Amino acid sequence: MNMKKISFELSHELPVRLLKRCPVYAPSPLVHKTLGHRRILVKDETHRMGLGAFKALGGVYAVAQLMLTKNGTLTTSSDKLREETEKMTFVCASAGNHGMAVAAGARIFGAHARIHLAKTVPQAFVSRLEAQQAQVIRSGDTYEESVQIAIKDAAENNYIHLADGSWQGYTEPPRLVMEGYTVIAEEMRAAFAMNGEWPTHVFLQAGVGGLAAAIAYMIRKNWSKQPEIIVVEPDEAPCLKTSVETGELTTVDGAVSNMGRLDCKTPSMLAFEVLKAMADRFVVISDAKAAEAQNLLNELGLPTTPSGAAGLAGLNAAALPVDAKPLIIVTEGQV
């Protein structure tokens, strides 16, 4: 693909370098599983960095880079840096996992975190966020409402707003979040380059689209064998598919989905730009199909949620050739 179509750049080099300094970083497993008569490749993010989801990569890396921008250095042993970071508060809205990553990044580097959760986010996330020393605020009936409240909170209190979605005039923090996710694609590229077993189809679940866009970008940028890229969304929130079809960012309507981390009605502007150029197709899946895929992964020893299983649900809905080598990402463990 022609990378010139994209107005911004992502690179795995900085996040890989930074994360290698983190004692809890390790590449997540890339395993084979058999489902019926088909063998599938599975990137297992269910234990990523002790936070149980891929989001750990993006939030922690973005916090670190924003601190570097402000302070010019990053070492947790520096008393002077601690004095500065203790004055910093990161704010975001979250459906759960992004907030966990931002909270963890803030805690690691001595800053503070305020996480806005809509009423639809399970209570279990509140306890997990508070264990990361975050302040949790229930804000709004939907994720979109909690985003607007988080923006206002940051502006009124001079906090740092660190969202994983992007829009006109707000791109650098979410670009950093996406750049953190490129580590996943690089880990997979290195493994495939070593064993020669490249996938033919890659299924990427999407909420606002940051993960799907980051992986798609890196596949097109530096994978030597190019697969078909399929983006998977809930049928109650197909914001990226609809935006690509209309040719512009589009907010969709829909009921609340059991795929809570994917139930986003407005896509990220940066993710939309990448995926409209680099994804081959978009599929939507029902809550029932996501739950079915969740049960299948549980039986395969990969306990997850409907959101984490959405890639498999997309695979199950696709008519692939018998010789296909599909890849899915199980994005989170059970909550």
Side-chain angles (χ1 to χ4, degrees), residues 304-322:
T304 186
T305 65
S307 296
L312 177 58
L315 166 59
N316 289 339
L320 298 188
V322 293

Side-chain angles (χ1 to χ4, degrees), residues 30 41 57 103 131 150 187-188 201 230 260 281 283 293 299 303 305 313:
L30 181 64
L41 289 158
L57 294 168
E187 290 175 357
M188 292 191 291
H201 300 75
I230 302 101
R281 55 182 162 131
V283 300
E299 292 171 5
T305 65

